[in-house]
Amino acid sequence: MSTAADQLQIRHLTPRIGSEITSDVETLLSGRVAAQIRATLEQRGVVFFRGLQITDEQQVAIARTLGTVVAGEGQDGIYKISLDDTVNQRAKYLKGSLFWHFDGSLQPYPNLATLLRGVTLSDTGGQTEFCNTYAAYDDLPQPEKDRIAGLRVVHSAERSQYYVTPEMSYDEIAFWQKSATKECPVVWTHRSGRRSLLLGATADYVQGMPVEQSRALLARLRDWATQPQYVYRHEWRVGDLLIWDNTGTMHRALPYAADSGRLMHRTILAGEEPLR
Ligand code: OGA
Ligand code: MN
Protein backbone atom coordinates (compact mmCIF):
# COMPACT_ATOMS: atom_id res chain seq x y z
CA MET A 1 0.00 0.00 0.00
CA SER A 2 1.28 3.45 -0.82
CA THR A 3 1.47 5.88 2.06
CA ALA A 4 2.37 9.53 2.41
CA ALA A 5 5.73 8.37 3.73
CA ASP A 6 6.45 6.94 0.28
CA GLN A 7 6.48 10.37 -1.36
CA LEU A 8 9.99 10.52 -2.71
CA GLN A 9 12.23 13.44 -2.02
CA ILE A 10 13.33 14.68 -5.45
CA ARG A 11 15.88 17.41 -6.04
CA HIS A 12 16.37 18.78 -9.56
CA LEU A 13 20.02 19.34 -10.48
CA THR A 14 19.48 21.49 -13.58
CA PRO A 15 16.27 22.93 -15.06
CA ARG A 16 16.04 20.47 -17.98
CA ILE A 17 17.71 17.22 -16.88
CA GLY A 18 18.88 15.26 -13.86
CA SER A 19 17.39 14.72 -10.41
CA GLU A 20 18.65 13.29 -7.17
CA ILE A 21 16.16 11.04 -5.41
CA THR A 22 16.46 10.30 -1.73
CA SER A 23 15.13 6.96 -0.60
CA ASP A 24 16.31 3.86 1.18
CA VAL A 25 17.03 0.35 0.00
CA GLU A 26 14.00 -1.20 1.71
CA THR A 27 11.58 1.24 0.05
CA LEU A 28 13.21 0.78 -3.36
CA LEU A 29 13.07 -3.01 -3.06
CA SER A 30 9.39 -2.94 -2.06
CA GLY A 31 8.40 -1.56 -5.47
CA ARG A 32 6.07 0.97 -3.79
CA VAL A 33 7.88 3.90 -5.41
CA ALA A 34 8.55 2.24 -8.79
CA ALA A 35 5.80 4.15 -10.62
CA GLN A 36 7.05 7.44 -9.18
CA ILE A 37 10.62 6.66 -10.23
CA ARG A 38 9.55 5.75 -13.76
CA ALA A 39 7.54 8.95 -14.09
CA THR A 40 10.48 11.01 -12.79
CA LEU A 41 12.84 9.24 -15.18
CA GLU A 42 10.65 10.07 -18.15
CA GLN A 43 10.41 13.71 -17.12
CA ARG A 44 13.99 14.24 -15.95
CA GLY A 45 16.00 11.83 -18.19
CA VAL A 46 18.34 10.73 -15.44
CA VAL A 47 17.97 10.16 -11.71
CA PHE A 48 20.41 8.97 -9.09
CA PHE A 49 20.56 7.76 -5.53
CA ARG A 50 23.68 9.04 -3.80
CA GLY A 51 25.91 6.44 -2.13
CA LEU A 52 23.19 3.81 -1.88
CA GLN A 53 25.81 1.05 -1.40
CA ILE A 54 23.72 -1.90 -2.55
CA THR A 55 24.73 -5.40 -3.61
CA ASP A 56 24.46 -6.77 -7.15
CA GLU A 57 21.40 -8.79 -6.12
CA GLN A 58 19.71 -5.69 -4.74
CA GLN A 59 20.52 -3.77 -7.93
CA VAL A 60 18.83 -6.42 -10.05
CA ALA A 61 15.88 -6.65 -7.64
CA ILE A 62 15.36 -2.86 -7.80
CA ALA A 63 15.62 -3.04 -11.61
CA ARG A 64 12.87 -5.70 -11.64
CA THR A 65 10.48 -3.34 -9.87
CA LEU A 66 10.97 -0.88 -12.76
CA GLY A 67 10.77 -3.10 -15.82
CA THR A 68 12.04 -6.25 -17.51
CA VAL A 69 15.69 -7.01 -16.84
CA VAL A 70 17.55 -8.04 -19.98
CA ALA A 71 19.00 -11.45 -19.29
CA GLY A 72 22.00 -12.51 -21.29
CA GLU A 73 23.99 -9.41 -20.54
CA GLY A 74 26.72 -10.32 -18.09
CA GLN A 75 26.04 -12.60 -15.14
CA ASP A 76 22.63 -12.68 -13.47
CA GLY A 77 21.69 -9.26 -14.80
CA ILE A 78 24.98 -7.53 -13.93
CA TYR A 79 27.41 -6.50 -16.67
CA LYS A 80 30.82 -5.07 -15.81
CA ILE A 81 31.66 -1.78 -17.50
CA SER A 82 35.43 -1.40 -17.64
CA LEU A 83 37.95 -0.34 -20.27
CA ASP A 84 40.40 -2.92 -18.91
CA ASP A 85 40.33 -5.98 -21.17
CA THR A 86 41.32 -8.26 -18.31
CA VAL A 87 38.00 -7.28 -16.65
CA ASN A 88 35.82 -7.12 -19.76
CA GLN A 89 36.87 -8.82 -23.00
CA ARG A 90 34.82 -6.30 -24.97
CA ALA A 91 36.75 -3.36 -23.49
CA LYS A 92 37.60 -2.14 -26.97
CA TYR A 93 33.95 -1.98 -27.97
CA LEU A 94 33.18 -0.19 -24.68
CA LYS A 95 35.60 2.59 -25.62
CA GLY A 96 32.74 3.73 -27.82
CA SER A 97 31.02 4.78 -24.57
CA LEU A 98 33.27 7.85 -24.49
CA PHE A 99 31.23 9.31 -27.35
CA TRP A 100 27.61 10.46 -27.27
CA HIS A 101 25.26 7.52 -27.79
CA PHE A 102 22.18 5.72 -26.57
CA ASP A 103 22.27 2.04 -25.65
CA GLY A 104 20.87 -0.65 -27.92
CA SER A 105 20.77 1.50 -31.06
CA LEU A 106 21.39 -1.66 -33.09
CA GLN A 107 18.78 -3.73 -31.26
CA PRO A 108 15.20 -4.14 -32.51
CA TYR A 109 14.01 -1.92 -29.62
CA PRO A 110 16.28 0.60 -27.89
CA ASN A 111 16.58 -0.28 -24.18
CA LEU A 112 14.07 1.38 -21.90
CA ALA A 113 16.57 2.34 -19.22
CA THR A 114 19.96 1.54 -17.80
CA LEU A 115 20.98 1.26 -14.15
CA LEU A 116 24.65 1.97 -13.45
CA ARG A 117 26.32 1.63 -10.06
CA GLY A 118 29.70 3.10 -9.22
CA VAL A 119 31.76 0.25 -7.76
CA THR A 120 35.30 1.60 -8.18
CA LEU A 121 36.07 5.08 -9.48
CA SER A 122 39.02 6.48 -11.39
CA ASP A 123 41.15 9.14 -9.67
CA THR A 124 40.54 11.51 -12.57
CA GLY A 125 37.95 11.67 -15.36
CA GLY A 126 35.20 9.09 -15.69
CA GLN A 127 32.26 11.39 -15.01
CA THR A 128 29.18 10.49 -17.04
CA GLU A 129 27.33 13.12 -19.07
CA PHE A 130 23.72 12.96 -20.22
CA CYS A 131 21.71 15.14 -22.56
CA ASN A 132 17.94 15.39 -22.76
CA THR A 133 16.90 14.60 -26.34
CA TYR A 134 13.22 15.35 -25.65
CA ALA A 135 14.07 18.89 -24.56
CA ALA A 136 16.51 19.33 -27.46
CA TYR A 137 13.82 18.31 -29.95
CA ASP A 138 11.17 20.52 -28.33
CA ASP A 139 13.42 23.59 -28.61
CA LEU A 140 14.30 23.13 -32.30
CA PRO A 141 13.00 25.96 -34.49
CA GLN A 142 9.90 24.84 -36.43
CA PRO A 143 11.63 24.97 -39.88
CA GLU A 144 14.28 22.57 -38.51
CA LYS A 145 11.59 20.22 -37.16
CA ASP A 146 9.95 20.27 -40.60
CA ARG A 147 13.28 19.58 -42.31
CA ILE A 148 14.10 16.50 -40.22
CA ALA A 149 10.59 15.02 -39.96
CA GLY A 150 10.57 11.63 -41.65
CA LEU A 151 14.37 11.36 -42.04
CA ARG A 152 15.86 7.96 -41.34
CA VAL A 153 19.40 7.20 -40.24
CA VAL A 154 21.38 4.00 -40.68
CA HIS A 155 23.19 3.04 -37.47
CA SER A 156 26.17 0.69 -37.46
CA ALA A 157 28.71 -0.74 -35.03
CA GLU A 158 31.37 -0.02 -37.63
CA ARG A 159 30.62 3.72 -37.55
CA SER A 160 31.06 3.96 -33.79
CA GLN A 161 34.38 2.13 -34.00
CA TYR A 162 35.87 4.87 -36.19
CA TYR A 163 35.71 7.09 -33.08
CA VAL A 164 37.78 4.52 -31.17
CA THR A 165 40.14 3.45 -33.97
CA PRO A 166 40.21 6.09 -36.72
CA GLU A 167 42.52 4.07 -38.95
CA MET A 168 40.95 0.63 -38.83
CA SER A 169 42.58 -2.14 -40.81
CA TYR A 170 40.66 -4.05 -43.44
CA ASP A 171 40.24 -6.95 -41.01
CA GLU A 172 38.89 -4.66 -38.32
CA ILE A 173 36.39 -3.10 -40.71
CA ALA A 174 35.35 -6.53 -41.95
CA PHE A 175 34.84 -7.64 -38.35
CA TRP A 176 32.58 -4.71 -37.41
CA GLN A 177 30.69 -4.96 -40.68
CA LYS A 178 29.49 -8.41 -39.63
CA SER A 179 27.14 -6.75 -37.13
CA ALA A 180 23.79 -5.96 -38.67
CA THR A 181 22.97 -2.29 -39.25
CA LYS A 182 19.70 -0.75 -38.12
CA GLU A 183 17.61 2.03 -39.57
CA CYS A 184 16.11 4.47 -37.04
CA PRO A 185 14.06 7.63 -37.47
CA VAL A 186 15.87 10.84 -36.48
CA VAL A 187 12.74 11.88 -34.63
CA TRP A 188 11.12 9.25 -32.44
CA THR A 189 7.42 9.88 -31.85
CA HIS A 190 6.69 8.02 -28.62
CA ARG A 191 3.34 6.50 -27.69
CA SER A 192 2.96 9.36 -25.22
CA GLY A 193 3.04 11.76 -28.17
CA ARG A 194 6.36 13.27 -27.00
CA ARG A 195 9.22 13.36 -29.51
CA SER A 196 12.94 12.81 -28.97
CA LEU A 197 16.02 12.84 -31.22
CA LEU A 198 17.90 9.63 -32.04
CA LEU A 199 21.54 10.41 -32.83
CA GLY A 200 24.84 9.15 -31.44
CA ALA A 201 28.09 7.45 -32.36
CA THR A 202 26.45 4.61 -34.29
CA ALA A 203 24.55 7.09 -36.53
CA ASP A 204 26.25 6.64 -39.91
CA TYR A 205 24.27 8.44 -42.60
CA VAL A 206 20.82 9.73 -43.49
CA GLN A 207 19.04 7.54 -46.02
CA GLY A 208 18.91 9.12 -49.44
CA MET A 209 20.96 12.22 -48.56
CA PRO A 210 24.37 13.07 -50.08
CA VAL A 211 27.08 11.97 -47.67
CA GLU A 212 28.56 15.43 -46.90
CA GLN A 213 25.14 16.87 -46.22
CA SER A 214 24.19 13.88 -44.12
CA ARG A 215 27.30 14.06 -41.91
CA ALA A 216 26.93 17.81 -41.50
CA LEU A 217 23.29 17.44 -40.46
CA LEU A 218 24.06 14.71 -37.92
CA ALA A 219 26.87 16.79 -36.41
CA ARG A 220 24.71 19.90 -36.29
CA LEU A 221 21.91 18.05 -34.50
CA ARG A 222 24.37 16.51 -32.04
CA ASP A 223 25.89 19.94 -31.35
CA TRP A 224 22.37 21.22 -30.72
CA ALA A 225 21.32 18.36 -28.43
CA THR A 226 24.48 18.52 -26.33
CA GLN A 227 24.35 22.24 -25.53
CA PRO A 228 24.90 22.97 -21.82
CA GLN A 229 21.22 23.59 -21.06
CA TYR A 230 20.37 19.99 -22.02
CA VAL A 231 23.32 18.37 -20.22
CA TYR A 232 23.79 16.95 -16.73
CA ARG A 233 27.26 15.76 -15.71
CA HIS A 234 27.38 13.17 -12.95
CA GLU A 235 30.34 13.37 -10.58
CA TRP A 236 30.43 9.85 -9.22
CA ARG A 237 30.80 8.79 -5.61
CA VAL A 238 31.26 5.15 -4.71
CA GLY A 239 27.94 3.38 -4.29
CA ASP A 240 25.88 5.81 -6.39
CA LEU A 241 23.05 4.17 -8.29
CA LEU A 242 22.17 6.10 -11.41
CA ILE A 243 19.32 5.37 -13.84
CA TRP A 244 18.78 6.92 -17.24
CA ASP A 245 15.81 6.91 -19.56
CA ASN A 246 17.57 5.54 -22.61
CA THR A 247 14.67 6.54 -24.87
CA GLY A 248 14.99 10.27 -24.23
CA THR A 249 18.68 10.87 -23.54
CA MET A 250 22.16 10.29 -24.91
CA HIS A 251 25.16 9.76 -22.68
CA ARG A 252 28.94 9.43 -22.69
CA ALA A 253 31.70 8.81 -20.18
CA LEU A 254 34.42 11.45 -19.94
CA PRO A 255 37.86 9.97 -20.66
CA TYR A 256 39.53 7.84 -17.99
CA ALA A 257 42.54 5.54 -18.04
CA ALA A 258 41.92 1.90 -18.96
CA ASP A 259 44.11 0.89 -16.00
CA SER A 260 42.46 3.31 -13.56
CA GLY A 261 40.43 0.53 -11.96
CA ARG A 262 37.14 2.27 -12.80
CA LEU A 263 34.36 -0.29 -12.61
CA MET A 264 30.63 0.17 -13.01
CA HIS A 265 27.97 -2.52 -12.67
CA ARG A 266 25.24 -2.17 -15.26
CA THR A 267 21.72 -3.59 -15.48
CA ILE A 268 19.58 -3.01 -18.53
CA LEU A 269 15.80 -2.79 -18.79
CA ALA A 270 14.30 -4.07 -22.03
CA GLY A 271 12.70 -1.64 -24.45
CA GLU A 272 8.91 -1.53 -24.34
CA GLU A 273 8.20 0.55 -27.39
CA PRO A 274 9.16 0.12 -31.04
CA LEU A 275 10.61 3.01 -33.01
CA ARG A 276 8.32 4.98 -35.23
C1 OGA B 1 27.03 2.31 -20.51
C2 OGA B 1 27.83 3.53 -20.64
C3 OGA B 1 29.06 5.17 -19.38
C4 OGA B 1 29.99 5.19 -18.21
O1 OGA B 1 27.20 1.60 -19.50
O2 OGA B 1 26.17 2.06 -21.37
O3 OGA B 1 27.80 4.16 -21.66
O4 OGA B 1 30.14 6.28 -17.62
N1 OGA B 1 28.53 3.89 -19.56
O5 OGA B 1 30.58 4.16 -17.90
MN1 MN C 1 26.12 3.44 -22.95
Side-chain angles (χ1 to χ4, degrees):
M1 203 179 76
S2 186
T3 66
D6 288 334
Q7 280 306 314
L8 290 172
Q9 205 182 312
I10 302 171
R11 187 170 70 94
H12 295 344
L13 282 322
T14 78
R16 311 296 290 276
I17 180 168
S19 296
E20 176 175 0
I21 303 183
T22 306
S23 188
D24 58 79
V25 180
E26 185 265 321
T27 305
L28 293 176
L29 286 169
S30 75
R32 291 194 303 266
V33 289
Q36 265 185 86
I37 293 173
R38 275 192 63 146
T40 308
L41 250 187
E42 202 200 317
Q43 288 308 315
R44 304 291 307 160
V46 42
V47 304
F48 75 90
F49 303 87
R50 187 61 96 187
L52 202 59
Q53 299 287 10
I54 50 174
T55 64
D56 286 348
E57 291 72 24
Q58 288 172 328
Q59 177 170 329
V60 175
I62 291 169
R64 287 214 177 92
T65 70
L66 298 170
T68 307
V69 171
V70 174
E73 212 210 31
Q75 190 109 41
D76 301 324
I78 296 284
Y79 185 72
K80 292 183 178 166
I81 301 292
S82 165
L83 299 185
D84 181 343
D85 58 17
T86 64
V87 177
N88 187 322
Q89 289 180 339
R90 296 173 74 231
K92 191 147 186 202
Y93 178 72
L94 291 176
K95 284 193 180 144
S97 67
L98 302 181
F99 304 92
W100 288 109
H101 67 283
F102 64 97
D103 297 333
S105 58
L106 304 171
Q107 306 299 318
Y109 286 28
N111 306 322
L112 173 72
T114 304
L115 293 83
L116 201 63
R117 184 171 110 246
V119 177
T120 309
L121 306 183
S122 50
D123 288 337
T124 57
Q127 300 90 338
T128 311
E129 288 189 331
F130 299 87
C131 71
N132 186 333
T133 55
Y134 279 122
Y137 176 81
D138 289 343
D139 288 358
L140 279 174
Q142 190 58 44
E144 188 79 294
K145 287 181 178 164
D146 295 342
R147 190 171 322 141
I148 65 175
L151 293 184
R152 299 185 66 83
V153 169
V154 175
H155 288 253
S156 73
E158 180 199 357
R159 179 69 182 93
S160 66
Q161 283 306 300
Y162 283 112
Y163 290 88
V164 178
T165 312
E167 197 172 54
M168 280 195 281
S169 67
Y170 171 82
D171 286 345
E172 286 172 308
I173 290 174
F175 174 80
W176 293 110
Q177 285 185 350
K178 281 189 215 144
S179 302
T181 62
K182 166 103 202 290
E183 205 184 279
C184 298
V186 174
V187 180
W188 181 359
T189 305
H190 298 248
R191 278 197 293 245
S192 62
R194 296 175 77 203
R195 292 187 169 93
S196 64
L197 293 169
L198 286 169
L199 305 164
T202 53
D204 197 356
Y205 59 91
V206 179
Q207 276 295 17
M209 189 180 277
V211 67
E212 302 85 343
Q213 218 178 306
S214 159
R215 295 219 181 101
L217 177 66
L218 290 172
R220 195 155 54 76
L221 290 173
R222 187 193 54 221
D223 288 352
W224 175 270
T226 57
Q227 293 176 93
Q229 65 269 33
Y230 307 124
V231 172
Y232 166 68
R233 176 186 292 184
H234 190 67
E235 301 280 349
W236 287 93
R237 288 192 215 154
V238 170
D240 287 356
L241 178 70
L242 189 142
I243 312 176
W244 65 86
D245 170 0
N246 187 60
T247 73
T249 58
M250 287 195 291
H251 59 279
R252 67 172 177 182
L254 295 191
Y256 58 97
D259 62 0
S260 64
R262 186 184 189 272
L263 176 66
M264 302 278 154
H265 281 191
R266 176 169 94 173
T267 304
I268 279 182
L269 296 181
E272 297 177 354
E273 193 180 348
L275 292 171
R276 54 180 203 94

